[in-house]
Amino acid sequence: MTDHQREQNAMTVTVPPSSPDSASGDVHGPGRADFFGALAWIGLGLAILVGSIGMDRLEAQDVNPYTIPGLLPGLLGIAMMILGSLLALRSWRRGLDRPSCPDTGRRGAEIKHLALVLALCLTYGVLLVGHGLPFWLASALFVSTTIPLLQGPQRRATGQKLTLRTVALSAVIGLGAGGMITLVFQKIFLVHLP
Amino acid sequence: MLAGLAELGNAYLGFLNFTSIVYGLGGALIGICVGCLPGLSATLCIALLTTLTIKLEANNAILILICSYVGTLYGGSRTAILLNIPGTAANAASCADGHALALRGEAGRAIGIATSGAFTSTLFGVLCLATVTPLLAEVALSFGAFEFFWLALFGVTMSGSIVGNDPLKGWLMGALGLFVAQIGQDGLYSHDRFTFGWSQLSGGIALIPALVGAFGFAEILTTLADPIERKLVEMKDSVLPRFREIVQYWPTVLRSGVIGVLTGLMPGVGEDAGSWMSYAAARAASKEKDQFGKGSIDGLMAAETGDMASIPGHIIPCLALGIPGSAPSAVLMAAMIIHGIQPGPMMMIEHPQFVYDVVAMTTLAMCSILIFGLFLVRPLLLIMRVKRTILMPIIFLLCTVGAFAGASRLFDIYSMLAIGIGAFFLRRHGYQMAPFVLGLVLGGLLDKSLRRGLVLSDGSLLPFFTRPICIAFASITIFTMLLYIPAFKSAVKRVTSGIGAQLTRCFAR
């Protein structure tokens, strides 16, 4: 970050892209992504509005017409459509031909890495946990598989190989994490685990 | 007044026992460790600890959460100084000067300044918490449905405007949060909204799984998607806090403390705003402006005191109005509700002692960070050396447990995953999570207040715009939104610069 950028950050009170809560802010500029995002917001707003209008007004229960359940969701749908239209207009005026994200080699690697992380997390959260397998075992399996799979590409990039020692260490960390979480949450703090 | 002091004294005495001190120190230590790890926020820490402490007595559970809240923000400064990565968003302003000092071989001094600044500003914030909360709660007792409608809308709008650098996206996220809060049975007639016949959705999207998804799983994806490891700066000098520098820079400490508490009072703005505003104010007032960003003690002190003072500031509206000041205080509020304490104007009537208990808890948190700041700096730095590829899978296990433990529903794990993935992609396109969280928290209040208000006024919108407090909230909310229109903004600029020029001429005479 340059001094000038720092100065701007300090004066405009914004969270810089490097901060965790704004991590990966839109570093490539708005471009087409904002326009398509805006269309999605308008679509969502319209769907909410249609859903709210079609919602039961509880006339059979003789409720006050000002308290119908679809009132606020309908207004929120309209708000989303207005704000989405403003976003679409702004991105249109800024130009749609600007690419939203340069397709570099690093980005390709990042997408592969992200797909791997997502697949691992979803497998654990949707398939392994809560379907009969003990929590400690499911967790141990997840951690001991994830660590070598994530470290593999990093090691390859630096010319190192994934050793048997790393795999064994990952298994120990996995068993330790699964066992400790079960012990602390279930046995000490009496929290029910999946 | 005397009754208040007596209750405050009782609260302090109530926490002077071995169990409370151990819980307080434990909470602060966990918080500091989480803060030291880039990518893990105070919101995630409090959300995970809420599930861990669910079976504890209310006071002990909230004590752990408050200590971890203070600890996380304090711990985040270590990462900012030594790695040039803010441990939490609130520490971003400390990066420039803190890391510059570390590169000059003064890392210990920078950590010492962070410790002394954190202690002093939390002390200032605690004083404000003890005095302002009862007063604000008394004012809030006169609030009705119309005022609460505007207060909720004001919170979401301000959060959208100030957090991040694109108000339009902030408001969209606020509207999304408000909408997600409407899913499930409505608060007046228990009528299913947007459940599509799915019984699991009738209970709505629970706050803790949503927060764990938005701040935990999304952060894990962000951290693991970018596999670059940063180098830690070695620390060679003493880390003892410099209270001498507090005395030397007292105007900065006082100014930043006031700014921190005031930004804390604004709903949904977050600790980072307190930090950046204090930094900007210190720079404007400093005689050594050119040193800012190059290792200025004044700058580091301002950033660290601003964010820490905003913690008690955020707790004030949370207790007095039931409106959280930031995402971490939203989780804190949810934890209070889980433990049977309803924050809001009625708190001073139903649980008057609890407000003073929170003051005592924050004081204990403040003392805990001083103890760890004095004695445990170097051992705690070892945590920062743990590889992210080892740490993040374990954090994901905790996220899964955290999402599940509240209601023991697998559905909550699925909603955590869905919200996390959504939050990850939205953040990559510049959408902030804080307005979404505030919308999620305030959605129920907004819905009930709007419909109750309309029943009271027999469908008339006039009371929403004619009652005195409503006029104030409505004016600020509408004015903030209108500022987005370029023509209106330039007209406001013309008027303000015209008034400024007139005033300058008057004073010149």
Side-chain angles (χ1 to χ4, degrees):
Chain A
M1 197 190 279
T2 64
D3 287 351
H4 174 68
Q5 281 170 318
R6 259 185 221 121
E7 199 172 300
Q8 273 196 328
N9 272 336
M11 300 314 288
T12 54
V13 197
T14 56
V15 184
S18 59
S19 72
D21 280 0
S22 70
S24 316
D26 198 0
V27 289
H28 302 293
R32 283 182 203 179
D34 267 4
F35 183 74
F36 290 118
L39 294 184
W41 282 112
I42 295 168
L44 178 66
L46 188 65
I48 294 169
L49 183 63
V50 170
S52 305
I53 291 169
M55 202 178 282
D56 193 347
R57 293 176 194 187
L58 307 177
E59 281 152 340
Q61 292 178 36
D62 200 23
V63 305
N64 189 315
Y66 302 121
T67 61
I68 53 168
L71 180 65
L72 184 69
L75 292 174
L76 289 172
I78 295 170
M80 275 185 203
M81 285 164 68
I82 295 170
L83 293 170
S85 305
L86 284 173
L87 186 62
L89 189 70
R90 190 184 73 180
S91 45
W92 179 272
R93 283 172 66 175
R94 285 182 182 176
L96 295 183
D97 51 342
R98 187 161 35 162
S100 59
C101 221
D103 191 17
T104 60
R106 184 163 177 260
R107 183 157 169 75
E110 193 186 306
I111 289 170
K112 274 186 195 166
H113 202 75
L114 181 66
L116 174 70
V117 175
L118 269 175
L120 287 164
C121 291
L122 290 176
T123 306
Y124 173 75
V126 179
L127 300 176
L128 282 181
V129 160
H131 297 289
L133 205 63
F135 177 79
W136 68 268
L137 183 60
S139 303
L141 277 172
F142 170 72
V143 175
S144 48
T145 315
T146 306
I147 294 173
L149 281 175
L150 293 180
Q151 285 190 352
Q154 285 183 14
R155 282 177 170 263
R156 271 196 299 277
T158 52
Q160 290 176 303
K161 276 186 180 172
L162 203 65
T163 58
L164 194 66
R165 189 173 170 273
T166 313
V167 177
L169 196 67
S170 306
V172 172
I173 294 169
L175 281 168
M180 277 301 285
I181 291 173
T182 308
L183 181 77
V184 172
F185 276 80
Q186 205 163 43
K187 304 292 176 193
I188 299 175
F189 285 92
L190 308 173
V191 174
H192 189 53
L193 291 178
Chain B
M1 175 72 183
L2 281 176
L5 280 175
E7 285 187 12
L8 186 61
N10 280 337
Y12 279 115
L13 285 175
F15 286 98
L16 282 180
N17 59 71
F18 180 73
T19 318
S20 299
I21 292 170
V22 167
Y23 279 141
L25 287 171
L29 185 61
I30 293 172
I32 294 172
C33 293
V34 170
C36 279
L37 299 166
L40 301 185
S41 59
T43 313
L44 177 67
C45 179
I46 303 172
L48 293 179
L49 283 176
T50 299
T51 55
L52 185 70
T53 56
I54 215 157
K55 295 278 165 70
L56 288 183
E57 194 195 322
N59 263 10
N60 285 333
I62 305 299
L63 169 69
I64 293 175
L65 301 185
I66 289 181
C67 288
S68 68
Y69 185 5
V70 175
T72 312
L73 259 70
Y74 169 64
S77 63
R78 314 284 173 90
T79 329
I81 292 164
L82 298 172
L83 277 173
N84 199 20
I85 305 172
T88 68
N91 306 105
S94 309
C95 276
D97 293 300
H99 192 64
L101 280 168
L103 290 176
R104 282 203 319 235
E106 293 180 88
R109 187 185 182 200
I111 288 176
I113 289 164
T115 306
S116 50
F119 180 81
T120 322
S121 58
T122 314
L123 178 69
F124 178 77
V126 164
L127 290 173
C128 295
L129 179 65
T131 50
V132 176
T133 312
L135 296 174
L136 191 61
E138 210 169 301
V139 174
L141 276 174
S142 62
F143 282 21
F146 308 105
E147 285 80 9
F148 274 113
F149 168 80
W150 277 114
L151 190 60
L153 203 60
F154 167 78
V156 176
T157 315
M158 290 307 284
S159 177
S161 304
I162 297 175
V163 179
N165 49 14
D166 191 343
L168 202 50
K169 288 180 177 177
W171 298 330
L172 276 164
M173 288 305 284
L176 183 67
L178 288 170
F179 168 69
V180 173
Q182 310 307 314
I183 296 172
Q185 292 187 340
D186 85 302
L188 290 186
Y189 304 115
S190 302
H191 178 75
D192 276 355
R193 293 191 291 200
F194 302 100
T195 57
F196 308 105
W198 195 10
S199 61
Q200 297 276 17
L201 269 178
S202 290
I205 305 290
L207 183 66
I208 300 283
L211 288 171
V212 170
F215 289 91
F217 186 39
E219 203 58 70
I220 290 169
L221 293 176
T222 306
T223 308
L224 290 178
D226 176 23
I228 300 166
E229 300 269 355
R230 299 262 189 120
K231 199 173 175 243
L232 198 70
V233 176
E234 288 297 325
M235 194 171 62
K236 291 165 189 161
D237 57 333
S238 167
V239 296
L240 285 178
R242 273 73 166 166
F243 285 99
R244 192 167 20 94
E245 277 158 349
I246 293 271
V247 178
Q248 189 184 343
Y249 292 99
W250 73 266
T252 303
V253 174
L254 189 64
R255 188 193 320 110
S256 306
V258 173
I259 292 173
V261 172
L262 287 177
T263 51
L265 287 171
M266 290 167 77
V269 168
E271 297 82 8
D272 43 333
S275 176
W276 281 114
M277 283 186 185
S278 303
Y279 187 80
R283 192 180 180 280
S286 175
K287 286 173 187 164
E288 297 171 330
K289 288 185 178 63
D290 56 317
Q291 286 303 306
F292 275 68
K294 296 171 189 167
S296 162
I297 305 291
D298 214 3
L300 180 62
M301 188 74 89
E304 279 305 308
T305 46
D307 67 349
M308 295 303 286
S310 70
I311 299 176
H314 286 312
I315 299 175
I316 294 170
C318 177
L319 292 177
L321 305 171
I323 307 279
S326 63
S329 62
V331 199
L332 196 63
M333 201 174 103
M336 287 175 192
I337 295 167
I338 288 170
H339 287 284
I341 300 153
Q342 180 66 51
M346 291 302 286
M347 179 173 264
M348 283 309 286
I349 292 164
E350 288 168 355
H351 307 278
Q353 182 62 39
F354 186 72
V355 173
Y356 299 105
D357 286 343
V358 171
V359 174
M361 291 171 196
T362 319
T363 312
L364 192 55
M366 182 184 83
C367 297
S368 305
I369 58 164
L370 184 67
I371 291 168
F372 292 124
L374 284 171
F375 302 111
L376 268 181
V377 173
R378 286 173 208 276
L380 282 172
L381 294 183
L382 293 174
I383 296 162
M384 289 161 70
R385 296 183 193 274
V386 179
K387 283 186 178 170
R388 284 189 280 181
T389 47
I390 294 174
L391 200 69
M392 288 302 157
I394 299 171
I395 300 294
F396 182 67
L397 299 186
L398 293 172
C399 288
T400 310
V401 175
F404 178 81
S408 299
R409 293 194 305 174
L410 280 178
F411 173 76
D412 286 336
I413 297 181
Y414 307 146
S415 56
M416 179 272 288
L417 291 169
I419 290 173
I421 294 170
F424 169 75
F425 286 107
L426 283 167
R427 281 165 55 163
R428 286 174 82 92
H429 289 99
Y431 293 93
Q432 298 292 323
M433 284 299 118
F436 172 77
V437 170
L438 205 69
L440 199 57
V441 174
L442 298 179
L445 179 72
L446 188 76
D447 182 42
K448 279 185 205 165
S449 304
L450 173 67
R451 294 197 281 165
R452 279 181 186 154
L454 284 172
V455 170
L456 288 171
S457 66
D458 200 21
S460 167
L461 288 175
L462 267 182
F464 284 94
F465 295 94
T466 50
R467 290 163 66 105
I469 298 169
C470 290
I471 293 173
F473 280 130
S475 312
I476 301 170
T477 308
I478 295 167
F479 181 79
T480 309
M481 294 196 86
L482 285 177
L483 274 180
Y484 187 73
I485 300 168
F488 183 79
K489 195 177 177 179
S490 53
V492 170
K493 266 188 183 170
R494 269 200 307 276
V495 171
T496 48
S497 57
I499 293 170
Q502 289 280 353
L503 283 173
T504 316
R505 269 201 294 276
C506 282
F507 282 114
R509 276 177 208 160

